[in-house]
Amino acid sequence: GYVVPRFGYHLTRYNLGENADGAEDATRSLPVSSVDAGLYFDRLMRWGERAFQQTLEPRVFYLNVPYRNQDELPIFDTQELTFGFAQLFRNNRYTGADRQQDANQLALALSTRVIDDSDGRELVRASIGQIRYFEDQEVQLPGVAPTDYEGSELVGEIAFERERWGFAWAQQYDPEDDNTTLSSVRAQYRFGDAGVANAAYRYRRDEFEQVDFSAAIPVSERVRLIGRWNWSLPDDQTLETFAGIEYESCCYEVRFLGRRYVRNTEGDYANAVY
């Protein structure tokens, strides 16, 4: 097992000039502390003649960041990160420097893996987790009201690998609304080290629902066919499609593509050759 305490102090200063409503500078400073702890259990298991290691890995991550009013700070390069399993263990849910979340929260997660004992390859991985909030979430982007969630979305993931095949599934469930917020399924087939074919379904509530197919298929040692088709189910419309051919040697690569894609929010298409 492990216990990793961390402490940092964030100091951000803006020199805004005279074009920011008369404010020439702004400063934000605050401490950020966390404790990351986990346990690792493993056991030997067999399936026929093959031996595997199965693990069980509980993990907790406590984060504490005091509230600072940041409404006067500008937004230059900051957006809220897409929530997923990795987000359970980050100390900020925003990119960039313009917002630092306030937090008094505990992330709880459980993972298990099946590993081939002969070569160390990870064959199966499954994880589930959630953040429990002890205080309201005051720091938000402009136009977003503070929230008082007791818990984050419940996040689940599973991935499976076997020889040339791969499969991954992710699901997020919002207990506040009793609804699925994200669902993603992906299958992959690998042509050795030279090519790959992917098929995926992606859904995010109130944002999109898509199917996506892509491939790089070798036809000889140096030549591959490449292509992609991305389709929006609610709009009954192709978002992007391209197809082409590429040649690769030890020293250079040549690729020729034709592409058709949606170029604006009105759904107008553009055609291009690369």
Side-chain angles (χ1 to χ4, degrees), residues 82 181-184 201-211 230-235 239:
T82 300
T181 56
L182 178 141
S183 184
S184 172
Y201 166 82
R202 295 187 293 267
Y203 163 81
R204 184 172 290 278
R205 188 179 63 183
D206 300 328
E207 294 187 28
F208 59 78
E209 185 177 11
Q210 302 173 2
V211 291
N230 185 205
W231 177 267
S232 172
L233 294 172
D235 301 319
L239 300 177

Side-chain angles (χ1 to χ4, degrees), residues 29-76:
S29 60
L30 74 172
V32 177
S33 56
S34 65
V35 178
D36 190 2
L39 295 171
Y40 182 92
F41 303 94
D42 64 345
R43 66 169 183 168
L44 185 66
M45 56 183 291
R46 291 189 175 274
W47 187 2
E49 298 297 322
R50 299 182 65 182
F52 305 91
Q53 293 284 339
Q54 182 194 11
T55 73
L56 189 65
E57 304 169 46
R59 182 179 178 183
V60 296
F61 180 76
Y62 175 73
L63 177 65
N64 187 280
V65 185
Y67 170 71
R68 297 288 189 271
N69 189 321
Q70 301 169 47
D71 294 343
E72 300 302 319
L73 300 184
I75 299 293
F76 290 122

Side-chain angles (χ1 to χ4, degrees), residues 25-263:
D25 55 56
T27 301
R28 179 197 59 218
S29 60
L30 74 172
V32 177
S33 56
S34 65
V35 178
D36 190 2
L39 295 171
Y40 182 92
F41 303 94
D42 64 345
R43 66 169 183 168
L44 185 66
M45 56 183 291
R46 291 189 175 274
W47 187 2
E49 298 297 322
R50 299 182 65 182
F52 305 91
Q53 293 284 339
Q54 182 194 11
T55 73
L56 189 65
E57 304 169 46
R59 182 179 178 183
V60 296
F61 180 76
Y62 175 73
L63 177 65
N64 187 280
V65 185
Y67 170 71
R68 297 288 189 271
N69 189 321
Q70 301 169 47
D71 294 343
E72 300 302 319
L73 300 184
I75 299 293
F76 290 122
D77 61 355
T78 289
Q79 291 290 333
E80 189 165 3
L81 291 163
T82 300
F83 188 73
F85 188 80
Q87 189 67 17
L88 300 177
F89 313 108
R90 294 179 61 96
N91 62 18
N92 194 6
R93 68 176 187 271
Y94 298 107
T95 64
D98 305 320
R99 289 293 182 272
Q100 169 62 55
Q101 74 173 85
D102 57 318
N104 182 13
Q105 63 190 47
L106 180 69
L108 306 169
L110 182 66
S111 299
T112 183
R113 295 183 294 154
V114 176
I115 301 168
D116 193 322
D117 201 45
S118 63
D119 58 15
R121 287 186 302 122
E122 183 180 271
L123 304 178
V124 179
R125 181 182 71 256
S127 302
I128 190 170
Q130 187 188 35
I131 299 175
R132 302 301 299 177
Y133 301 110
F134 304 125
E135 295 179 0
D136 297 348
Q137 302 84 52
E138 297 285 345
V139 176
Q140 303 288 345
L141 292 174
V144 180
T147 54
D148 58 355
Y149 300 138
E150 294 182 2
S152 72
E153 298 169 1
L154 190 64
V155 184
E157 296 180 342
I158 186 168
F160 170 81
E161 298 284 340
R162 180 173 173 81
E163 297 177 350
R164 296 179 181 270
W165 287 95
F167 172 84
W169 168 80
Q171 192 84 3
Q172 294 182 20
Y173 170 76
D174 188 349
E176 298 281 338
D177 297 333
D178 192 24
N179 270 312
T180 294
T181 56
L182 178 141
S183 184
S184 172
V185 181
R186 176 183 61 83
Q188 182 180 85
Y189 179 79
R190 293 178 291 276
F191 301 91
D193 296 328
V196 65
N198 300 295
Y201 166 82
R202 295 187 293 267
Y203 163 81
R204 184 172 290 278
R205 188 179 63 183
D206 300 328
E207 294 187 28
F208 59 78
E209 185 177 11
Q210 302 173 2
V211 291
D212 198 345
F213 300 93
S214 61
I217 302 173
V219 295
S220 71
E221 184 179 355
R222 299 189 182 279
V223 178
R224 292 191 297 183
L225 301 177
I226 53 179
R228 182 194 184 198
W229 178 52
N230 185 205
W231 177 267
S232 172
L233 294 172
D235 301 319
D236 194 21
Q237 180 182 24
T238 295
L239 300 177
E240 180 187 37
T241 182
F242 65 77
I245 189 170
E246 69 177 14
Y247 173 87
E248 181 180 8
S249 75
C250 63
C251 310
Y252 66 93
E253 184 173 320
V254 179
R255 181 184 297 118
F256 178 82
L257 287 175
R259 181 185 180 213
R260 179 172 172 83
Y261 60 99
V262 174
R263 64 181 177 86

